[in-house]
């Protein structure tokens, strides 16, 4: 099998299966698949562009891709990437989080009743990551 077929079997189909769970219960597991794939995509994109893949370069590319300023990127990355990859849950902190099918694929920062939140649709985020790979299989 070629790499695109393997990617589809290992990742696309796995996320599709998780979507079959009732009441969106597979969303966090989908994020646990999508977040490291997203990080890998960013690193691959930098390499293909001939850019260095140092931490600062990755941070800048993530911020640009997710349409976040550096502070927002840092909070999102700590809560979601580090939280899900190390604790299987978004990290708790001053900024809280909400997930819903009514939110977007990109994280949005919003103050609600005096509390700062990151709003995200895990399924749309996962689909966005899968689409990035399908559109750029060389990554």
């Amino acid at each position: 099998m070629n790499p695109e077929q393997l990617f589809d079997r290992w990742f696309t189909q796995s996320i599709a299966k998780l979507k079959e769970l009732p009441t969106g219960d597979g969303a966090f597991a989908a994020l646990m698949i999508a977040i490291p794939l997203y990080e890998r995509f960013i690193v691959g994109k930098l390499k293909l562009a001939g850019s260095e893949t140092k931490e600062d370069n990755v941070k800048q590319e993530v911020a640009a891709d997710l349409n976040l300023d550096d502070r927002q990127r840092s909070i999102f990355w700590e809560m979601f990437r580090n939280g899900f990859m190390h604790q299987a849950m978004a990290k708790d902190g001053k900024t809280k989080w909400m997930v819903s099918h009514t939110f977007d694929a990109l994280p949005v920062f919003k103050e609600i009743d005096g509390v700062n939140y990151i709003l995200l649709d895990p399924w749309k985020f996962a689909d966005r990551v899968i689409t990035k790979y399908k559109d750029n299989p060389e990554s």
Side-chain angles (χ1 to χ4, degrees), residues 11 35 40 51 53 67 71 98 103 126:
F11 302 113
I35 289 171
R40 180 179 171 175
S51 300
T53 59
N67 198 28
R71 183 188 67 76
M98 276 195 251
F103 300 146

Side-chain angles (χ1 to χ4, degrees), residues 44-73:
K45 181 179 177 183
L46 288 169
K47 285 181 179 179
L48 286 170
S51 300
E52 292 185 9
T53 59
K54 293 180 180 178
E55 186 176 349
D56 284 343
N57 300 74
V58 172
K59 287 177 180 181
Q60 289 174 357
E61 188 62 34
V62 167
D65 185 67
L66 296 180
N67 198 28
L68 300 173
D69 64 35
D70 192 56
R71 183 188 67 76
Q72 292 171 329
R73 185 235 12 107

Side-chain angles (χ1 to χ4, degrees), residues 4-138:
E4 289 86 5
Q5 291 168 316
L6 292 172
F7 180 87
D8 189 57
R9 285 181 53 201
W10 295 339
F11 302 113
T12 307
Q13 290 180 30
S14 297
I15 290 172
K17 273 297 195 194
L18 289 168
K19 285 181 181 179
E20 294 175 11
L21 294 173
T23 64
D25 288 348
F28 286 172
L31 277 176
M32 292 175 73
I33 294 169
I35 289 171
L37 282 176
Y38 177 71
E39 186 172 7
R40 180 179 171 175
F41 176 81
I42 292 296
V43 170
K45 181 179 177 183
L46 288 169
K47 285 181 179 179
L48 286 170
S51 300
E52 292 185 9
T53 59
K54 293 180 180 178
E55 186 176 349
D56 284 343
N57 300 74
V58 172
K59 287 177 180 181
Q60 289 174 357
E61 188 62 34
V62 167
D65 185 67
L66 296 180
N67 198 28
L68 300 173
D69 64 35
D70 192 56
R71 183 188 67 76
Q72 292 171 329
R73 185 235 12 107
S74 178
I75 294 168
F76 172 77
W77 207 247
E78 183 64 22
M79 287 180 69
F80 282 82
R81 190 270 186 199
N82 295 344
F84 275 98
M85 295 301 94
H86 297 286
Q87 300 173 359
M89 181 64 60
K91 253 183 163 176
D92 194 28
K94 288 182 183 179
T95 302
K96 304 302 179 191
W97 54 275
M98 276 195 251
V99 296
S100 171
H101 70 282
T102 63
F103 300 146
D104 293 324
L106 297 178
V108 173
F109 282 70
K110 185 173 183 179
E111 185 178 317
I112 302 171
D113 296 328
V115 178
N116 292 319
Y117 285 90
I118 298 174
L119 312 178
L120 182 70
D121 181 328
W123 297 115
K124 291 174 189 166
F125 181 86
D127 288 344
R128 183 176 185 269
V129 172
I130 295 297
T131 298
K132 284 185 169 294
Y133 273 95
K134 289 187 179 229
D135 290 348
N136 303 282
E138 66 282 357

